Amino acid sequence: MGQACFEARRAGDAIAQLTDVGSALPSQSDGRVTVFSDRTGMVKAARLLLSSVTKVLVLADRIVIKQIITSRNKVLVTLDHLERVSTFQEFVQIFSQFGNEMVEFAHLTGDRQNDLKDEKKKARMAAARAVLEKCTMMLLTASKTCLRHPDCESARINKDAVFHRMRCALEQVIEIVTEARSCGENKILPASIYNGIKDFKLSVECLRENLYSSSPQSVGSQLEALVERTEDFTDSAYTSHEQRQAILGLCQLARQDSQQLVHAWIEAQSVHAKEATEDMEVAILKTCQSVNDLRRELHKVAVSRASDLLKVHGEQLPLRALKAAGAEGNLEAVAEYSRTLTEQKEQLVETCRLLYHVSGTEPLEITCVHAEETFHVIGPQIISAAQTLALHPSSKIAKENLEVFCEAWESQLCDMALLLREINDVFEGRRGDKRPYLSLPRPGKHSANLKTAKAVKLDAEEQTSMAKLGLELRLLSSDVDTEVEKWEEQEHDIVRQSQSLASMAYNMYLFTRGEGLLKTTLDLFHQAEVLSEEGLQLCSSLRTFSTQLVDEEKSAVMTEMEKLVALCQQLQMGAKTPVQGKTATFQKVDSSIQKTRGILTVVLSLLPFCNKLNRKYKSERSSLGSPQDWRERQDVSTPVKEEGALNGKNSNGFGVKSLEQHMTGLNLLESK
């Protein structure tokens, strides 16, 4: 690396000398200054610079991969030691070391995930890191339970499952960063119905240009393979009779339209037509329409099934019953509710498989597979933890262990709700991508005046609280984006500022997962300040907007705006208040996220109401004159302070220190 940097510096110096204006002499003919005359030397220096910089980048990439592998190896060694410990004292010492090593590993893999360009790899990395994040807490309680009850078979099964899953996730991370392929983990995903329909339509539409691009047999085989995959829907015991009949009817219609296409195709070939005939064109359109209708019906079935399951499972009745039965030591009741949970698990696993077929993008397909595997694994782990508690109903550790696995189940249900929303976004043409917020510069810039912030270790209760708040932020930011997209005027100040608030709230959600640009609590508090300023700017826009409203409407907007002002001011003051110590820092983080949640809740209530009013007054607004005149009258009626306003130039004062301690410890560590 040192040699490569030396070569790059030497090439840069050579170019600097060749282009030095100070040493250049004016030409005798026209008096112009020639910056350089040695074109051959310039070309050589430029080539050397390109090759040496490329070498630096390649070496840096290899170094990062080596760091991740070395970190993984350390984690594996400590994991083996943890699995073999026999005393609490030894366990506490080794788990403390394990926690530090997991923070380092999470730091390295988080940065690597952000650097990945391949969306499939990024999704696989996110899935593996999510497993490690959740399993770290499970490993702690499962190991403690096993140490407290060494002769309990269900406790041993529970612990072994956690260790196995962590090792698989660690191996998957290494496969991604090294681009290795193993027989087991890096398996090829099964073909989805969405991709099958896309490929089938492509083959059919290509016939317009070339009648001989495919054969009738291959097109027929494609359709039959596609219909065969719909058996995941039609063979399901949870698919209603009406839904099953609708899917089978659309499959039959697709077959009929395909047969008509084949007949028209063969007829066109028999007369040596050079392009698709009119009959063929009609048949192509009908065939594509029928498979589109099939896709729409399958999407409807999968999404409605998932929505219904999430509503039913949101009450968590089997989990509550298992906890109660375990605490009472009632093994028969535990067995009964375990069967109920197993049935729910099978429903969720099957639903994830159906969502996989209609997800629409490869990253979402990977997320569906991850959700399916998670439900498949955590279900039996909850049952074994409940059995352990039933055998030892007075054990606080066994009770805590069951609670941790139940929380992991609930967390996965929340992730499934988000996944469902993203699949809907893709189906409706909204990719669901967050717009980058421009006040977040690249790491390393504008950070000279920031003090180094230490990472904070949180206990189990604090981790749970932070994770739940983060998920609420993500749901709210997604809801705000959905409401914003309903506005016709996408450049409206209210729309633009609401989008900024949602984007910043999303960054704060990523912080709770140890991802994204916010690396430390200091970064989070700076983001909270910027968010509060943007919220106050939104209040100014709302005040301007309210000037065109009648009294009752204006009163409703102003009431909500006053709530927003109060919340933004509270967030701003809290973010600027200095704190010291772990407890105070956590309370400040918790308060900042809760205030942000309150701000988004108010914004979410305002957006549809203001959109309705904006449409209502659109015709009246045009009667007042040109849109430019109306905006000018708005500016005159309610001037907006420029001091502290977030525009493109002065909003970049928020910096992120790339070398500060990574805050992934929030999700990975708990204090001894």
Side-chain angles (χ1 to χ4, degrees):
M1 175 63 85
Q3 181 63 29
C5 290
F6 173 77
E7 291 175 2
R9 194 177 294 111
R10 186 177 63 181
D13 291 340
I15 293 176
Q17 291 175 5
L18 288 168
T19 58
D20 186 4
V21 178
S23 62
L25 297 174
S27 172
Q28 294 181 354
S29 59
D30 57 5
R32 293 180 179 178
V33 174
T34 302
V35 176
F36 66 91
S37 56
D38 186 1
R39 296 182 180 275
T40 303
M42 186 65 174
V43 170
K44 287 182 178 179
R47 285 176 176 169
L48 178 60
L49 181 62
L50 284 172
S51 62
S52 57
V53 168
T54 303
K55 188 175 181 182
V56 169
L57 294 173
V58 171
L59 282 169
D61 191 63
R62 288 171 60 186
I63 289 168
V64 169
I65 292 172
K66 186 175 180 181
Q67 285 177 331
I68 293 174
I69 293 172
T70 303
S71 178
R72 187 281 309 257
N73 292 340
K74 288 196 296 183
V75 169
L76 280 178
V77 170
T78 311
L79 202 60
D80 290 339
H81 291 163
L82 269 178
E83 198 169 16
R84 294 195 298 267
V85 296
S86 56
T87 66
F88 269 103
Q89 184 178 2
E90 185 183 6
F91 174 78
V92 167
Q93 291 174 349
I94 297 177
F95 190 82
S96 177
Q97 177 187 344
F98 173 75
N100 291 329
E101 290 170 355
M102 282 300 296
V103 168
E104 179 191 3
F105 187 72
H107 178 180
L108 293 169
T109 54
D111 290 343
R112 186 68 176 180
Q113 180 182 325
N114 290 334
D115 291 339
L116 288 171
K117 304 301 180 189
D118 188 323
E119 292 299 325
K120 287 171 61 179
K121 289 181 181 177
K122 188 173 285 191
R124 290 186 66 219
M125 179 71 88
R129 294 181 73 243
V131 170
L132 292 172
E133 174 188 322
K134 292 175 182 176
C135 281
T136 301
M137 194 60 200
M138 297 178 192
L139 184 144
L140 173 65
T141 56
S143 298
K144 285 162 62 178
T145 305
C146 215
L147 285 170
R148 180 58 58 86
H149 310 290
D151 298 328
C152 184
E153 180 67 13
S154 57
R156 185 191 60 77
I157 292 172
N158 189 259
K159 182 185 111 173
D160 290 347
V162 176
F163 275 89
H164 174 72
R165 196 156 185 244
M166 284 203 76
R167 288 191 175 98
C168 290
L170 288 166
E171 193 60 35
Q172 182 173 329
V173 169
I174 298 305
E175 287 173 5
I176 296 166
V177 298
T178 60
E179 298 184 351
R181 289 187 176 274
S182 69
C183 298
E185 292 298 314
N186 200 3
K187 58 188 177 184
I188 298 174
L189 294 175
S192 68
I193 293 176
Y194 173 85
N195 287 327
I197 289 176
K198 186 171 67 172
D199 294 341
F200 176 74
K201 285 174 61 181
L202 183 63
S203 298
V204 169
E205 289 171 345
C206 281
L207 297 176
R208 290 191 175 106
E209 306 297 330
N210 184 359
L211 296 179
Y212 303 93
S213 62
S214 185
S215 67
Q217 293 80 12
S218 65
V219 171
S221 299
Q222 268 186 295
L223 181 61
E224 287 307 314
L226 180 61
V227 170
E228 186 177 345
R229 288 175 211 154
T230 64
E231 290 176 1
D232 283 345
F233 289 79
T234 56
D235 291 352
S236 170
Y238 307 108
T239 302
S240 69
H241 176 72
E242 292 77 12
Q243 291 173 334
R244 186 178 292 108
Q245 290 301 115
I247 294 170
L248 292 173
L250 288 170
C251 288
Q252 187 59 32
L253 180 61
R255 285 194 180 103
Q256 292 173 1
D257 291 338
S258 178
Q259 283 298 321
Q260 291 179 6
L261 172 61
V262 168
H263 290 320
W265 185 5
I266 293 173
E267 187 177 336
Q269 286 181 331
S270 65
V271 297
H272 304 290
K274 294 184 178 179
E275 57 184 19
T277 61
E278 186 176 341
D279 288 344
M280 265 194 77
E281 183 64 34
V282 172
I284 288 171
L285 291 172
K286 289 178 67 178
T287 302
C288 291
Q289 182 60 44
S290 61
V291 293
N292 280 337
D293 291 342
L294 176 61
R295 180 202 166 198
R296 191 175 295 106
E297 181 63 27
L298 294 173
H299 175 86
K300 176 184 172 183
V301 171
V303 168
S304 63
R305 168 90 65 81
S307 300
D308 292 343
L309 276 178
L310 288 171
K311 288 177 184 176
V312 172
H313 295 178
E315 299 176 0
Q316 308 297 338
L317 295 178
L319 297 185
R320 293 178 190 172
L322 272 174
K323 292 176 191 177
E328 294 169 359
N330 190 339
L331 283 169
E332 291 182 2
V334 166
E336 180 184 348
Y337 293 123
S338 294
R339 286 190 289 272
T340 304
L341 183 66
T342 300
E343 185 179 349
Q344 284 195 355
K345 178 214 49 169
E346 290 171 355
Q347 289 180 3
L348 288 165
V349 165
E350 187 178 277
T351 303
C352 290
R353 199 173 298 128
L354 300 189
L355 289 174
Y356 169 84
H357 278 302
V358 300
S359 55
T361 69
E362 287 184 322
L364 287 179
E365 288 177 1
I366 291 168
T367 307
C368 289
V369 171
H370 167 67
E372 179 184 341
E373 292 173 349
T374 301
F375 284 123
H376 186 74
V377 172
I378 292 183
Q381 288 179 314
I382 291 174
I383 293 170
S384 61
Q387 290 169 346
T388 304
L389 179 59
L391 291 169
H392 308 279
S394 61
S395 173
K396 292 183 179 179
I397 290 179
K399 184 177 181 181
E400 178 192 10
N401 186 47
L402 176 58
E403 194 69 41
V404 166
F405 281 95
C406 288
E407 286 173 0
W409 179 275
E410 293 167 10
S411 173
Q412 189 56 49
L413 285 175
C414 290
D415 289 346
M416 187 175 176
L418 296 169
L419 172 63
L420 183 61
R421 185 166 297 175
E422 290 173 358
I423 289 172
N424 268 327
D425 286 345
V426 171
F427 183 78
E428 294 170 6
R430 303 192 305 267
R431 301 294 294 185
D433 295 333
K434 296 282 176 184
R435 295 188 183 183
Y437 188 66
L438 299 180
S439 71
L440 296 177
R442 291 186 176 183
K445 293 188 178 182
H446 308 290
S447 56
N449 297 325
L450 294 180
K451 296 179 181 179
T452 302
K454 295 182 179 179
V456 178
K457 298 181 181 180
L458 304 181
D459 59 30
E461 186 178 351
E462 291 169 340
Q463 286 180 25
T464 303
S465 172
M466 190 67 63
K468 288 180 179 177
L469 280 173
L471 285 171
E472 288 177 17
L473 270 189
R474 180 172 178 181
L475 287 167
L476 282 169
S477 64
S478 181
D479 287 338
V480 169
D481 284 340
T482 301
E483 287 299 330
V484 158
E485 287 169 0
K486 296 176 182 177
W487 282 63
E488 294 176 359
E489 299 177 44
Q490 285 294 303
E491 296 305 315
H492 197 289
D493 285 345
I494 293 176
V495 169
R496 181 174 51 78
Q497 288 155 353
S498 298
Q499 284 176 329
S500 295
L501 290 173
S503 183
M504 286 187 279
Y506 187 77
N507 285 329
M508 295 171 80
Y509 154 73
L510 291 177
F511 170 84
T512 66
R513 293 181 57 86
E515 300 171 1
L517 290 173
L518 309 181
K519 307 297 183 185
T520 69
T521 49
L522 184 63
D523 297 337
L524 180 75
F525 301 147
H526 274 275
Q527 180 72 106
E529 283 189 56
V530 177
L531 188 144
S532 64
E533 289 287 348
E534 185 76 351
L536 292 172
Q537 289 300 308
L538 176 58
C539 292
S540 297
S541 299
L542 288 168
R543 189 178 288 107
T544 302
F545 177 77
S546 67
T547 58
Q548 62 177 315
L549 308 178
V550 296
D551 292 343
E552 186 177 345
E553 295 166 344
K554 183 175 182 179
S555 176
V557 172
M558 294 299 288
T559 300
E560 292 300 307
M561 190 203 71
E562 287 170 4
K563 294 180 187 176
L564 189 58
V565 169
L567 286 167
C568 290
Q569 289 174 345
Q570 290 169 14
L571 177 63
Q572 193 173 54
M573 290 176 62
K576 290 181 177 180
T577 303
V579 294
Q580 289 184 343
K582 174 196 162 185
T583 304
T585 301
F586 170 73
Q587 288 174 348
K588 184 175 176 180
V589 169
D590 184 74
S591 174
S592 297
I593 294 177
Q594 290 207 39
K595 290 292 188 297
T596 302
R597 181 185 61 182
I599 289 171
L600 284 194
T601 303
V602 175
V603 171
L604 192 58
S605 68
L606 277 166
L607 279 171
F609 183 58
C610 291
N611 188 20
K612 180 181 176 182
L613 294 176
N614 191 47
R615 289 177 177 176
K616 177 182 175 182
Y617 285 94
K618 196 170 183 181
S619 57
E620 297 178 21
R621 186 188 313 166
S622 61
S623 68
L624 295 175
S626 69
Q628 181 63 34
D629 293 338
W630 184 76
R631 280 196 293 270
E632 287 174 1
R633 276 194 289 274
Q634 281 186 315
D635 294 337
V636 170
S637 62
T638 310
V640 179
K641 281 188 179 180
E642 292 188 4
E643 183 181 352
L646 293 176
N647 53 46
K649 293 183 179 179
N650 63 13
S651 62
N652 280 342
F654 176 81
V656 180
K657 295 191 76 174
S658 60
L659 299 179
E660 286 179 344
Q661 177 69 30
H662 199 281
M663 274 304 298
T664 31
L666 276 173
N667 294 321
L668 288 171
L669 271 185
E670 63 102 62
S671 62
K672 284 194 256 182

